[in-house]
Structure formats: C-alpha cells, structure tokens
Amino acid sequence: MKRKTPAFILIICMLLTCFTTYQPQILQANASSDTKSMLDDLFNKNSGKSDQEAEQNGQATDADKKEDAMSQKVTEDYYTQVIRKWEEAGYSDAQSFQTVIHPNQLYAGSSKAPLTPISESHGYNEEVVRSNELTPEINFTVNVPNDGLYQIQIDYFALPGKITPVERGIQINGEYPYFEARRMVLPRLWANESDQFQTDELGNEVFSKQVEVSDWQSAHLTDASYLYDEPLKFYLKKGSNSIKLLHIREEMLIGRISVASPEVYASYEAYLQSHPAASADMKVLETYEAEKPFVKSDSYIQAMASADVNVTPNRKSLISLNTMGGESWDQGGQSVTWKIKVKQSGYYNLAFKYTQYVKINMPVFRRILIDGEVPFQEAAAYSFPYASDWENEILSNSEGEPFQFYLTEGEHELTMIANPSPYQPVIQTVREVMEELNALSLEIKMATGNTLDVYRDWDITEQMPNITEELNGIAAKMRAEYHYLRELSGRNPDEARNLLIGAEQLERLAREPSSIPVRFDEISQGSGSVTQRLGDMMLTLPKQPIQIDKFYVYADEKLPKAKAGWWKKMSSVAQNFYTSFTKDYTQISPADEESLQIWVNRPRQYVMLMQQMANQQFTAKTGIKVSFSLMPNEQKLILASASGNSPDAALGVNEKTPYEFALRGALTDLSQYEDYKQVVGRFSPGAMLPFMFDGGVYALPETQNFWVLYYRKDILDALQLEVPQTWEDVLQTLPSLQRYGMNFYVPLAESGAMKSFNLTTPFLYQQGGELFSADGTKSAVDSDEALEGFKWMTKIFTVYNMPLQIPNFYNHFRDGNLPIGISNYNTYVELTTAAPELSGSWKMAPYPGIENDKGEISRWAPGTGQGVVVFKDSDKQQQAWEFVKWWTSAEVQAEFGNLIETIYGPTYRWNSANLEAFGQLPWPEEDLAVIQEQWKWLKDVPHIPGDYMLDRELSNAWNKVVFDGKNPRKTIEDAVVLANREIMKKLEEFGYVKDGIVIKKLKVPTIEEITGARGDTE
C-alpha cells in the first residue's frame, strides 16, 4: 500500500497538470474568432469596430495601433505620393511669387550664421555663409502670401575637398515633407586638365587628369535620383515658414536662396514666337567631337575608346579615346556641357551621332539646355531610341520635323543631362508593388505559421478570402506598367520582361490558391521570386547610358553618314584580325630588360594608371624603370616560376598565394631589409598574418577588406531597436525581427557548402580560440575556447533560427527582409552605387563581439585583401624593394585611390591597406570611423602546411551539426583527427617532421610578433 500511494498521487498530479495546461487553450480559442481576425489586427485592417467598441473589449484602438512601430511607415512617403495628396487637398502651384533670402538672413541653429567676407567669397558679390559639419543646420524663415507649392533655388560654391558632391537634406517647418527631401545632391564641376589626350609609351591614349572647376553655381533643389521632370516642390503655408538645410556631406558656401513659384517651360511654338523671325538662309555645318567637353558634373564621366571603324578619330590598332559617355554617363542628373560657337545669329539644328545598345529596345532620355536653360518643353526629356549601331539623331518633334534652336552670334553652352523621369511612374508602381508583395508574404507566413509542409492540405482562402483578388490586382498593375513602357519604347522592351514574368507567376498562384502556402516563396523570397525580379529591374531601369561620337550644329546642310561603307568595314575587320596575332594586349609599356617587370592581377584601367604614376614619380625620382603587364590569371605565376621566367614582383596577388610560394622558397623575405620595421608600421598587424611563414615575411598588404555590421536604420528605428554591439545583443533583437518575418544575416548563410576560414574564424577568435598550436604541428580548434566559439556559430542557426541559405544578402537587405547583417567591402560598394533609393536609410557598425572580463568587446574578424610580392630569382632585389616601398606608401596609395575614383567613379573605390592613406580617401567620415574601429580588431588567418584540411573539416563539422544534428564536440574531435593527420603529412613532405618526430620547428606567426617588430608599445 505504501508503494501504491505515491504512484496514485503522481497520476493525479499528471492529470491535473494536463487539465490546467489544456484549459487556457480552450479559453483562448473562444476569445478569438479565427486566425483571420488575428491577421486583421496585425495588419490594421478594417474590422468594423469603432475605437470605443475596441476599447471596451480591451482591444487596441486605431490610435493605439498607430503607435505600434510597424504600423507606421519607416520613412516618409515618396514625392509622387505626397504631391498627389497635396493636389487632392486642393493645394496648387503658387502664382507669380518670388522672394530672395540673403546670406545675412541665415541662421546656424538659433544664432545668426557667421558670414564669410566678400574677400573670401570666391567672387560672389556679397558676404556668404560657410556650411559644413561645424554648422550642421542652416535655417531661415520665409513669408509667403498664400498656401501653395513653391520651388527653392540656391547659389552655392562647393569648396575643394573630397571628390564626392555636396549633399544636403531639407526640412520644412521641422519635418521632411517626403522621402526625397532627406538627400539632395549639389554637384561639383569637373574638366579635363588638357584638351589633348596624352599617350603612353605604346602610343595608346590615356585618360586626362581630372581637375575641379571651382565656381559659383545656381541650382534648384531636385531629388538625388533625378526621377522627376521638374525641381522639387514644397508646400508652404500662408505666412511664416521655417526652412532648414541639414548637412550630410562636404562643405560649401551659400549665397542667395530664392523661394519662388514653380517655373513652367514654354512650348516649342511659344519659343519660336518669342524669338526673331528666321533670317536669310544660312549654310552651316559645325562638327564637335563629343569626347572633349567643357565641364561635367562628375569626374568619372569619361571619354571611351572605340575601335569601330565608324568612329573618329580612329588610329587603327592603337587605343583612341574617341567617344563620350557610355556606362560612365548613365545616372540621373549627370550632365556634360560643351562650348559651341556660331558666327551668325539665327536658327540652327542640332544632331548627335550616338549609339545606345545597353537598354535593348528601350530609349534613354536627355534634358537639353542652351546656356543653362531648357529652351522649350519638348527638350526637357528628349528620347534617344535604342540603337545597336551608330545613328544620327536630329533633334525633332514627334512628326520628325527638326527643332530650330535660336542662337545669337558668339559662344554658347550646350548641356545634356541624363533624365530618367519618363520611367518614374513605373519605378514608383514597382516600389509600391514590392511593398504589397512583402506585406502579403508576411500575412501568408502568419496564417500558415511559416510552415512549408507539402503533405498538409491548406485552405488559405478561408483565412485570407481576398488573396486571389489581391494577387490578380497586383499582376494587373504590373501588366499595365509593361504596356506603358511598350508605348514609350515603340517596341517590346527587353528590360521590362520581368514585369510580364512576375505577373504570370502571380496569376498562376491566384489560379491555384491551395498551393500558395507551400509556394509563397515565389512571391518575395529566393532568386526567382517576383520581388527579386522586380528588384533586378529597379537596378537597371533608371539607368540612362548613351555613347556619343560627335554632334553637329548646322543649318541647311546635309549631315555626314553615321556608318562607314562596306569596303572600309571589311578592311578594318581584316586589319584587326591580323593585329590580333601580332600584338601583345597584356603589355602596358614596351619590354625592356633593364626595367623592373611587374605583373598585376587587376583590370587594364588600374594598370594603365599605375604605369603613368610610376613613370612620372617613381622612375623620375629613382631612375628605376618599371614595366607593368596584365596578369589575367594568377596561375601564370606558378608556370612562370616553374620555368624560371617569373617577374621581379607581382601586385594584386591572393592572400594565400604568398604562403604557397614561400613554402617552396620562391619569394624574397622582406623582413631582411633594414627599413622593414618602418614599412610594416603602415598596416594593421593582423593583416600581416597570412603573409608570414616560419619567421619570414613574404608579402605586404596592398588592399584590405573589412567585415562590418550593416543595418537599415529606418527599419530598426521603426522597431525601436538599438544597434547590437555583442552577440547577446543580437539575440535580443531576433524576436522583434522574426515577429515580422525578418531576420539577422550571418555570412555563414551564403550559398555554397564550403564555409571558409574567413567565415568561421571570427567565432573562434572572439572566444579566445586559435586555429593552430604554437609549434604548428596540430590544430587547436578542440581547445575549450575554440569549442565554445564553434558551439556558438552553430547554435545561432539550430536554436535561434537565423537563415541558413541566403544567395545574395544585398538583395534581401535592399528589400528589407534582412534589415541587419554582417558583410564585407563588396556589399558597401553595391549599396553606395546600386541602391540610391536606400541612401541615408542604412548605416554601418563594428562587427558584433563577445564582452570579456574587462568589459571590452572582442570583435576579432579577418580582413586581408591582396598583396605585393618580390620573387627570389629576380636579379633586381633592391630595386624591387624600392618599388614596393614606394607603391605601399601613404602618399602614393592616397593619390592612386583618389585618381582611380575620380576617373572611374565610386564603383572603383580603392580599399588601401595603408591605414594613413585609407583615411585620406573619399569615404564618408561616419563610415570611415566604423571601418577604422573594426580594423583595430583585424586578425587574419596564418598558414601552415596542410591547413587546407582544417579549413575543409571545420566547414564539414558545421554542416554536420547544423544540417544533420550531430554533437558539436564529437564533430570537432573528428575534424581535428583528420586535420592533424594531413598537417603532419605535409610537415613531413616539407622537411619539418621525420618518422613522426619534429626535426625542424615551425614558427606560427602571431599579432604580438608583428607589433614587436614594429616597436609598438601597446
């Protein structure tokens, strides 16, 4: 009986437990009608209840819901949406009004803005105000007679600084009126240093050095992407209004500011009537080569080389910079200005010889200005049709009648501005569609519990009865935009095909609603989803590339043909075919036995600039000649070394290559030089680790990568989330993110089964672990610290549900599905050059780390990029070392970085490994501070024989734990056994071990060793 009593009591307790846990579920089911009501509450849909009824029932009122972070828009509405609301509210353009705000009426915060005297105003006729980071807010008040829409024009002088343009935001009465007001660009002016292109030693033309033309400009405030065919309008209420200019980037002088009624372009008929009648007949044909402009808005709008026989000048096998634009002139708002001159006042025609083969079956648009003004409405967005070959485009109306431009005798300025505004309606609709699809996808996830169960029957229409209509409605919008683009193009537009494909995908889902729960990833996730296709189209649609050979100012003359005759074409083809057998296209300068032979693993643009700098600076100073050659494939170094024909030095080599050559005795130990200690101080200590082997230093860093935290500031602000500093902070943000279908990205989720050291070592290093033992004879990843790091980098996926496979973080970050994550330099370039719509909405922070006992956050992460090596069999050792010192110096790296970006644009931003030079490059100050802070924790991977096996087995261990559910300790122990076996095998192969006994010690490099060599005291 004593034994039965405890058992009986235990059974009663279990029954009571079951009853008490089951009862709340019944109550909860009765409290809520169905899943749909929960979704309606979440997405703030109409439920038919008043705020009073909701309040009585204890539910959130509409007012309460508006306070919820995600029910608010994370940013302001776009300009188009706000203009539509203003028009619906009855606000119209102000009539016949203009007022001028003088510099002495400007304020910096609450105090009068300090004035710069006329003597320092660079030619302005009154005192001006300097606007920079010390005066982050310049504000003024303006009184207007009536409620209405106004435009703002500003006189500004971009002060010399970095090559980036001036950027400002604007607030009206304390608020951004629309999203575009957060960032507006005031361009600089650039020109070629010389009207004539210089040639290299092979006779090829090279880009002219770009010089900034410092001058006062007057510009209306426009959106940064130039998507609207007019300056931005601002609603001002009757009476006093406060206007504030907010500093974003670069300093400038501010002159007079004009607030006026919106300007309206005259029609072509009105333009003709406003000018004198046509004079006597003129016969004029003036030809201008487009590659030689007067000024341009961006330094990297460049002349392009074309070997086409149709283009002039043509120097056959030699490179000639004979056209203007192409993909360097495809961003909205970029302008090019030429000087033209006419001998007699009268009406002239304009024609351009151009090609546009990038946007297949779609036109590009240019705004045409004469002396800084749009002459008539038809020139505001002139269409240049798709042209796969060279064509003459005579500026004409829709009936093909050429426009007549009235020019007075003398000199004039002709300007063309890239104008994507005709595509703006499509871009706006696509943005709205993507938002709708993301919201719909999230709603489906909530309805299905985010479960992709193909064996479960779903009736999604019961929970979301309108889903079919929603999908068909969105598809109809996409088809309507496709038809608009087809009418605009006059043919089937190639870039718009994603609209049709996406519409078909949505219509298929609408026809089979029962399949939606297991196929909803086709809506907004994955590389083939509708939002992915639309996102890809959003990258290319605004671009407006055009390549111009020449243009004509003429009257009553016949234009030369745009295309050469068939005989000239055939002769050119034959000559090019012959030249391909006789010319070495990898050569940048003539071969010379006395010259240093340098192979460079970079594109031709980089190497040509390197050769110019070396000739003008290094050779001129030292007398050492340098000959650069392109190295398209690094494998050529292996073949050249094996055959005894290696170069004297090589640049741009992969971080693993120096170790492989040093192990085989093919490279020079750079630490043998007396001034090595001074040179190594130029770099982060952790960046040297891959280039050191067994006590020697066999390369110096040339470029440097960085791994940082990227986050969407708009989304985190809407969720009221702090930027995480530690991994514990990251875990605290996950519930809020995952609640709304978002997540945190870790690079281990990138596509591919192999998880390299670059991705795994941060977790080990931050916990205090190491990859190898101090003597280099075995792996150290089975230590307690390294094992803790390994557990952590698997647990964030197996326990905390971070995404496992992300093919492209950039796309998900841009769409908002992954608003925060860790990535590298490449993502930075993508965001700054290919996501203008996110400008100002994202930021960077250091890599999340582990807080140690001292309260310090350990943020160790790799970052070595490419390096420079000197080959041991070179007979010019000292000369090669002199070149290496020159090339990696702060002065040269800073100059090269600025030049390459000035010539080719921000896509070519140079991530120099020289820490001093990096700070002198055109990085935004805020971003620069984050990168430099993270580089304090740069710790890359040293190399030892057989380390590739540890790399592979550590990756295999991660896959086994995350995908197969294996035990972390057991998988690491198995990995260490296999890795140690290979390490010992390789050590024996290279003479460090014999019969299992170490006969020659191997020294594994450490950061402490590098800091000691540099003489650092900390």
Side-chain angles (χ1 to χ4, degrees):
M1 184 65 182
K2 290 181 180 180
R3 292 181 179 179
K4 292 181 179 180
T5 300
F8 178 76
I9 294 173
L10 179 61
I11 292 172
I12 294 297
C13 291
M14 292 176 64
L15 290 173
L16 289 172
T17 302
C18 293
F19 178 77
T20 55
T21 55
Y22 181 67
Q23 189 176 15
Q25 295 177 358
I26 297 176
L27 294 174
Q28 187 177 4
N30 291 333
S32 179
S33 58
D34 54 14
T35 306
K36 183 180 181 301
S37 64
M38 178 192 71
L39 292 170
D40 288 342
D41 289 341
L42 176 64
F43 292 98
N44 200 19
K45 293 187 176 180
N46 295 328
S47 60
K49 296 181 180 179
S50 67
D51 286 357
Q52 185 177 1
E53 291 173 326
E55 196 168 11
Q56 290 173 353
N57 294 331
Q59 298 175 355
T61 66
D62 286 343
D64 293 331
K65 289 174 182 176
K66 287 178 182 177
E67 291 300 315
D68 182 83
M70 285 305 290
S71 67
Q72 302 177 16
K73 285 188 71 67
V74 294
T75 58
E76 297 77 20
D77 287 335
Y78 287 106
Y79 179 69
T80 302
Q81 299 166 315
V82 174
I83 283 287
R84 190 183 306 135
K85 292 178 182 178
W86 285 342
E87 291 174 348
E88 291 171 355
Y91 302 130
S92 59
D93 293 352
Q95 299 297 318
S96 303
F97 174 82
Q98 181 177 16
T99 186
V100 176
I101 310 299
H102 291 269
N104 59 11
Q105 296 174 270
L106 301 179
Y107 286 78
S110 59
S111 304
K112 278 276 192 178
L115 295 173
T116 299
I118 296 179
S119 60
E120 300 176 17
S121 66
H122 296 274
Y124 206 65
N125 58 6
E126 63 179 291
E127 294 178 317
V128 295
V129 169
R130 182 182 293 263
S131 170
N132 53 28
E133 63 277 1
L134 300 178
T135 53
E137 297 180 2
I138 296 295
N139 54 78
F140 59 94
T141 58
V142 60
N143 284 282
V144 297
N146 297 297
D147 292 351
L149 306 182
Y150 298 81
Q151 292 175 343
I152 299 175
Q153 187 173 5
I154 182 172
D155 292 348
Y156 72 97
F157 184 96
L159 290 167
K162 295 184 177 179
I163 64 176
T164 49
V166 174
E167 295 181 12
R168 293 295 184 270
I170 188 169
Q171 289 184 344
I172 307 295
N173 295 320
E175 295 181 347
Y176 293 107
Y178 32 76
F179 177 72
E180 288 83 353
R182 288 182 171 268
R183 174 178 174 263
M184 288 165 291
V185 176
L186 299 171
R188 298 176 183 273
L189 292 176
W190 296 88
N192 294 338
E193 185 180 46
S194 171
D195 290 337
Q196 301 300 320
F197 295 113
Q198 294 182 344
T199 58
D200 61 19
E201 294 178 291
L202 295 176
N204 298 315
E205 289 184 344
V206 296
F207 290 111
S208 294
K209 184 178 180 181
Q210 300 299 296
V211 293
E212 184 176 354
V213 179
S214 296
D215 201 357
W216 279 93
Q217 300 183 70
S218 186
H220 281 95
L221 297 184
T222 59
D223 72 294
S225 300
Y226 216 78
L227 286 174
Y228 303 98
D229 202 21
E230 59 181 5
L232 295 174
K233 298 177 183 179
F234 301 89
Y235 167 69
L236 301 179
K237 58 183 175 59
K238 181 179 180 180
S240 178
N241 293 266
S242 172
I243 300 178
K244 185 185 296 181
L245 291 174
L246 302 174
H247 177 272
I248 298 177
R249 184 185 298 183
E250 298 304 315
E251 64 177 347
M252 67 175 179
L253 299 179
I254 299 177
R256 291 179 287 273
I257 299 175
S258 171
V259 179
S261 306
E263 61 179 19
V264 178
Y265 301 128
S267 66
Y268 179 58
E269 290 75 14
Y271 170 78
L272 292 178
Q273 293 174 6
S274 66
H275 289 89
S279 58
D281 291 341
M282 299 183 297
K283 285 187 172 292
V284 178
L285 178 61
E286 296 290 342
T287 303
Y288 296 87
E289 291 292 342
E291 64 270 15
K292 296 180 179 181
F294 171 56
V295 291
K296 49 196 177 179
S297 62
D298 293 280
S299 60
Y300 50 89
I301 301 174
Q302 288 290 354
M304 293 181 61
S306 174
D308 196 319
V309 68
N310 298 311
V311 177
T312 59
N314 188 306
R315 299 187 301 148
K316 300 180 180 179
S317 63
L318 294 175
I319 295 175
S320 295
L321 299 175
N322 48 13
T323 67
M324 168 57 72
E327 293 184 9
S328 72
W329 187 19
D330 64 358
Q331 300 297 317
Q334 289 184 318
S335 67
V336 175
T337 298
W338 297 271
K339 289 281 190 181
I340 59 176
K341 190 174 183 179
V342 295
K343 297 178 180 179
Q344 181 180 349
S345 297
Y347 288 92
Y348 295 83
N349 302 121
L350 291 177
F352 294 85
K353 179 182 173 183
Y354 81 101
T355 181
Q356 193 285 106
Y357 51 85
V358 177
K359 295 177 78 72
I360 299 175
N361 290 341
M362 296 182 73
V364 298
F365 296 86
R366 286 294 184 272
R367 175 171 292 190
I368 312 297
L369 292 84
I370 304 294
D371 295 326
E373 299 290 337
V374 176
F376 42 82
Q377 178 63 47
E378 291 81 351
Y382 189 85
S383 171
F384 286 82
Y386 168 71
S388 60
D389 204 348
W390 294 97
E391 304 284 351
N392 283 333
E393 175 65 21
I394 302 172
L395 300 192
S396 309
N397 61 18
S398 57
E399 285 76 33
E401 298 173 353
F403 289 127
Q404 301 286 318
F405 294 86
Y406 185 80
L407 301 176
T408 58
E409 179 184 349
E411 195 173 61
H412 298 270
E413 291 184 1
L414 170 63
T415 302
M416 297 180 73
I417 305 176
N419 185 7
S421 62
Y423 292 110
Q424 185 278 328
V426 181
I427 293 170
Q428 181 62 35
T429 301
V430 170
R431 284 172 176 164
E432 294 172 358
V433 163
M434 292 175 69
E435 290 178 2
E436 291 180 48
L437 291 175
N438 286 330
L440 184 63
S441 179
L442 178 56
E443 195 171 350
I444 294 170
K445 287 181 182 180
M446 296 298 295
T448 62
N450 199 19
T451 303
L452 292 173
D453 189 350
V454 296
Y455 300 107
R456 180 173 176 178
D457 293 330
W458 297 90
D459 189 359
I460 193 69
T461 55
E462 181 179 346
Q463 297 169 307
M464 301 174 63
N466 297 326
I467 189 169
T468 300
E469 290 78 6
E470 289 185 55
L471 290 173
N472 283 327
I474 295 173
K477 289 183 184 179
M478 296 167 64
R479 288 189 179 277
E481 296 305 327
Y482 177 82
H483 291 309
Y484 166 79
L485 289 177
R486 186 167 63 181
E487 291 179 6
L488 190 68
S489 306
R491 57 185 82 184
N492 293 328
D494 187 72
E495 274 187 16
R497 66 184 182 277
N498 281 351
L499 287 169
L500 287 182
I501 296 172
E504 291 171 0
Q505 285 181 260
L506 296 179
E507 290 164 347
R508 282 197 301 268
L509 289 172
R511 288 194 297 268
E512 303 174 9
S514 59
S515 68
I516 291 175
V518 294
R519 293 172 56 197
F520 74 83
D521 58 337
E522 294 181 22
I523 296 176
S524 65
Q525 293 181 355
S527 58
S529 67
V530 178
T531 55
Q532 179 69 52
R533 294 184 188 279
L534 295 180
D536 292 341
M537 193 182 78
M538 286 280 282
L539 287 178
T540 58
L541 191 60
K543 294 185 177 181
Q544 303 293 294
I546 190 172
Q547 189 172 352
I548 301 176
D549 174 25
K550 61 187 64 171
F551 64 92
Y552 305 94
V553 179
Y554 69 103
D556 196 26
E557 283 284 358
K558 186 177 181 180
L559 293 179
K561 292 182 179 180
K563 301 173 186 176
W566 69 270
W567 175 251
K568 191 173 182 181
K569 287 182 178 180
M570 291 298 296
S571 300
S572 176
V573 170
Q575 184 173 12
N576 289 338
F577 178 74
Y578 171 77
T579 304
S580 67
F581 293 99
T582 60
K583 185 174 181 178
D584 182 2
Y585 290 95
T586 65
Q587 248 187 352
I588 302 299
S589 62
D592 186 347
E593 291 185 0
E594 297 181 359
S595 301
L596 277 174
Q597 299 300 315
I598 311 290
W599 289 5
V600 186
N601 186 28
R602 295 197 182 282
R604 176 177 289 274
Q605 299 96 310
Y606 289 85
V607 185
M608 290 176 66
L609 184 56
M610 291 176 180
Q611 185 71 65
Q612 282 182 263
M613 290 181 61
N615 292 345
Q616 296 169 3
Q617 299 179 25
F618 179 70
T619 302
K621 182 179 179 180
T622 65
I624 302 172
K625 294 182 180 179
V626 180
S627 177
F628 287 90
S629 296
L630 296 175
M631 181 173 58
N633 191 332
E634 243 180 70
Q635 299 301 314
K636 289 183 65 176
L637 285 175
I638 298 175
L639 299 175
S641 180
S643 63
N645 294 317
S646 57
D648 297 301
L651 305 179
V653 297
N654 183 279
E655 57 93 16
K656 184 92 182 270
T657 301
Y659 152 75
E660 297 288 357
F661 279 92
L663 180 63
R664 293 160 177 83
L667 297 182
T668 300
D669 179 4
L670 304 180
S671 64
Q672 67 179 330
Y673 294 103
E674 293 182 1
D675 46 1
Y676 162 75
K677 290 183 179 181
Q678 289 75 35
V679 174
V680 76
R682 300 169 176 174
F683 316 106
S684 294
M688 294 295 301
L689 293 175
F691 300 145
M692 302 173 68
F693 176 71
D694 201 14
V697 177
Y698 296 96
L700 292 179
E702 185 182 15
T703 62
Q704 196 158 289
N705 200 348
F706 52 80
W707 292 87
V708 293
L709 183 71
Y710 294 88
Y711 64 95
R712 288 283 297 272
K713 186 177 185 301
D714 50 1
I715 295 178
L716 262 62
D717 286 350
L719 292 172
Q720 299 179 357
L721 294 175
E722 296 291 331
V723 179
Q725 298 297 318
T726 66
W727 284 106
E728 290 295 337
D729 295 340
V730 171
L731 298 186
Q732 291 178 14
T733 67
L734 283 180
S736 297
L737 293 172
Q738 292 172 350
R739 176 187 176 192
Y740 296 104
M742 295 179 279
N743 217 318
F744 185 97
Y745 171 77
V746 175
L748 285 161
E750 69 180 10
S751 58
M754 181 63 184
K755 313 299 179 184
S756 67
F757 279 145
N758 279 339
L759 308 181
T760 57
T761 51
F763 296 92
L764 308 184
Y765 287 161
Q766 290 179 9
Q767 293 284 359
E770 295 289 346
L771 289 175
F772 311 109
S773 62
D775 61 1
T777 59
K778 59 183 179 180
S779 168
V781 297
D782 55 350
S783 67
D784 292 341
E785 296 82 2
L787 182 60
E788 189 63 29
F790 179 77
K791 289 179 179 178
W792 186 259
M793 74 175 175
T794 55
K795 188 165 62 174
I796 57 177
F797 296 97
T798 59
V799 176
Y800 297 104
N801 199 32
M802 287 188 184
L804 278 172
Q805 292 182 328
I806 300 297
N808 191 313
F809 169 61
Y810 159 72
N811 283 329
H812 288 273
F813 184 82
R814 190 186 67 197
D815 295 340
N817 299 323
L818 291 173
I820 183 169
I822 298 165
S823 196
N824 57 13
Y825 163 76
N826 293 331
T827 297
Y828 184 91
V829 174
E830 288 177 316
L831 289 173
T832 52
T833 59
E837 75 279 7
L838 291 184
S839 182
S841 299
W842 64 273
K843 291 186 179 296
M844 298 192 307
Y847 201 115
I850 302 293
E851 188 171 352
N852 57 29
D853 297 337
K854 300 178 182 178
E856 187 179 47
I857 300 176
S858 174
R859 305 181 187 270
W860 295 115
T864 301
Q866 295 164 306
V868 50
V869 299
V870 175
F871 282 87
K872 196 171 184 177
D873 58 359
S874 168
D875 58 358
K876 302 181 181 65
Q877 294 289 314
Q878 187 61 44
Q879 294 97 315
W881 173 242
E882 293 299 326
F883 170 80
V884 168
K885 290 191 298 180
W886 171 81
W887 175 243
T888 59
S889 65
E891 297 79 7
V892 173
Q893 285 290 293
E895 181 179 354
F896 177 79
N898 281 297
L899 281 174
I900 197 73
E901 185 168 348
T902 299
I903 295 173
Y904 298 108
T907 307
Y908 287 78
R909 181 160 295 171
W910 184 246
N911 52 325
S912 175
N914 186 299
L915 300 179
E916 182 183 347
F918 189 85
Q920 300 174 28
L921 297 176
W923 298 85
E925 293 298 329
E926 190 176 7
D927 298 343
L928 180 64
V930 171
I931 298 168
Q932 290 175 331
E933 173 62 27
Q934 182 56 48
W935 275 350
K936 295 177 182 177
W937 297 95
L938 193 153
K939 184 177 181 180
D940 227 300
V941 180
H943 296 295
I944 66 170
D947 59 358
Y948 57 85
M949 183 61 72
L950 177 62
D951 195 12
R952 189 180 75 180
E953 290 305 320
L954 192 58
S955 175
N956 290 341
W958 184 88
N959 287 322
K960 290 175 183 178
V961 173
V962 173
F963 291 108
D964 301 334
K966 301 294 185 181
N967 179 272
R969 181 178 290 274
K970 178 65 167 59
T971 57
I972 280 294
E973 289 174 350
D974 293 343
V976 167
V977 170
L978 293 173
N980 287 348
R981 185 183 302 162
E982 187 68 13
I983 289 171
M984 289 299 290
K985 176 182 175 182
K986 285 295 178 181
L987 287 174
E988 186 164 358
E989 178 182 342
F990 288 100
Y992 289 90
V993 173
K994 185 175 183 181
D995 299 329
I997 299 174
V998 176
I999 60 174
K1000 180 182 176 184
K1001 290 185 178 181
L1002 177 65
K1003 189 175 183 181
V1004 179
T1006 64
I1007 286 182
E1008 292 73 22
E1009 178 185 349
I1010 301 163
T1011 54
R1014 291 163 29 136
D1016 293 353
T1017 56
E1018 297 182 3

